[in-house]
Amino acid sequence: MENFLQIIFRTLILYILIHIIFRVMGKREIGELSILDLVVFIMIGELAVVAIERPNVRIFDAILPMVILMLIQISMAFFSLKSKKFRDLVDGKPSIIINRGKVDEDAMRKQRYNFDDLLTQLREKNIRSIGDVEFAILESSGSLSVIEKLKTNNETKSGDITIPLILDGTIDEENLRKINKTNLWLRQELKKQGYRDIKKISFCSYENGKFFVDLMDEQ
C-alpha cells in the first residue's frame, strides 16, 4: 500500500514539474519542434518514467537532471535568438524545394528528400499537381510550406516569396545570391530609404520590388 501511494505521489509531482518545464520552455506545436527540442522532450519524459517505475530512486535524483535539461534548452534558445549562425547550426535552415514553379533537385538531394516525399506532403495539403505550386519550402522542422500560384480570371500569375536579406543586423549573403543581388546593391538601396546602419536593422526582406524593414527595439 505504501509503495502504491508513493507511486501516486511521484506521478503527481512529476506531472506538475513537467507541465511547469514545458511552459517555461515555451509553447510550440509538435510540427515546429527542432531536433534539439525533440531530444530534450524525449529525455525529460524518459527520466519521469524511470522515476515513477523505480520508487527506490530518490525523487530529487530524477528531478535534478530534468531541471538541468530545461536550463540547457533555455540557454540554447537564448543563444539562438542572439545569433543567426548558432540558430542555423542548431535548427538547420529552410530549403526551397520548388522555386517559381521549378523543382530544385539539387536542394532535394542535399536534404535527402525525394519526389515521393514531396508528392506525399503536397497531397496532405490538398494540392493535386506540382504545376500548381509557385514555392515549396522544406522547413527546418521537416514540414513543407507551400505557396500556390496566383490565379485570377482563370490565368496563373507568378509572385515573389519573402526572403530575409537581413536578420539581427547581419546580411544573409546566400539569400542575396538567390535573388541575384549583391551586398553593395542592398546597402545602396537601404541608404536611399534612410537606413544607413545595417546593425540597427532587425529584419529586412525584399518582395515584388519592395523592401520591408523592421528596426531593432531600442533599449
Side-chain angles (χ1 to χ4, degrees):
M1 183 67 180
E2 182 180 349
N3 189 45
F4 180 72
L5 292 175
Q6 190 176 21
I7 291 175
I8 294 176
F9 173 74
R10 282 171 172 258
T11 301
L12 289 174
I13 292 297
L14 291 169
Y15 172 79
I16 294 171
L17 177 64
I18 290 175
H19 183 72
I20 293 172
I21 288 175
F22 285 1
R23 287 295 300 271
V24 171
M25 287 167 60
K27 296 180 180 179
R28 299 182 73 177
E29 295 182 8
I30 296 298
E32 296 177 349
L33 295 178
S34 67
I35 294 175
L36 177 64
D37 293 329
L38 190 59
V39 169
V40 170
F41 287 1
I42 291 173
M43 289 181 69
I44 288 176
E46 287 294 326
L47 287 169
V49 169
V50 170
I52 293 171
E53 290 181 341
R54 300 179 182 176
N56 57 315
V57 177
R58 292 191 310 164
I59 193 167
F60 176 78
D61 293 339
I63 290 176
L64 181 59
M66 293 170 68
V67 173
I68 291 173
L69 284 171
M70 178 191 71
L71 295 176
I72 290 173
Q73 200 277 342
I74 292 174
S75 299
M76 299 286 271
F78 174 79
F79 288 121
S80 292
L81 287 173
K82 295 296 182 180
S83 171
K84 184 180 182 302
K85 289 183 178 179
F86 185 81
R87 186 162 62 245
D88 291 341
L89 178 65
V90 173
D91 295 336
K93 298 180 68 174
S95 297
I96 300 177
I97 302 300
I98 300 178
N99 191 354
R100 297 186 182 280
K102 186 180 184 306
V103 177
D104 189 335
E105 296 180 10
D106 185 51
M108 291 177 65
R109 282 192 292 270
K110 288 179 180 177
Q111 298 299 322
R112 294 178 293 280
Y113 189 80
N114 57 52
F115 275 97
D116 288 335
D117 298 327
L118 176 60
L119 292 173
T120 298
Q121 290 193 287
L122 289 178
R123 286 194 296 269
E124 289 174 351
K125 297 181 180 296
N126 297 319
I127 295 175
R128 297 173 181 269
S129 170
I130 292 179
D132 295 331
V133 178
E134 182 75 5
F135 294 97
I137 301 98
L138 185 63
E139 306 292 355
S140 55
S141 63
S143 63
L144 188 72
S145 299
V146 178
I147 300 174
E148 296 185 69
K149 291 180 178 178
L150 300 174
K151 293 182 180 180
T152 56
N153 298 325
N154 295 323
E155 292 182 358
T156 300
K157 294 184 178 181
S158 295
D160 283 338
I161 187 174
T162 299
I163 296 181
L165 300 182
I166 298 175
L167 284 172
D168 301 324
T170 302
I171 295 176
D172 192 319
E173 300 288 350
E174 184 178 340
N175 283 345
L176 273 174
R177 287 193 293 271
K178 287 179 181 177
I179 63 172
N180 298 316
K181 301 296 183 181
T182 64
N183 188 304
L184 179 61
W185 169 85
L186 177 60
R187 291 178 182 275
Q188 289 177 338
E189 291 298 316
L190 290 176
K191 281 183 180 179
K192 291 177 184 178
Q193 300 191 31
Y195 303 105
R196 297 184 175 275
D197 190 352
I198 299 295
K199 295 295 183 183
K200 292 183 178 181
I201 297 176
S202 176
F203 178 87
C204 171
S205 64
Y206 184 70
E207 181 181 356
N208 295 321
K210 295 182 179 179
F211 284 98
F212 173 81
V213 178
D214 180 68
L215 296 177
M216 291 185 180
D217 296 331
E218 294 184 2
Q219 300 295 329

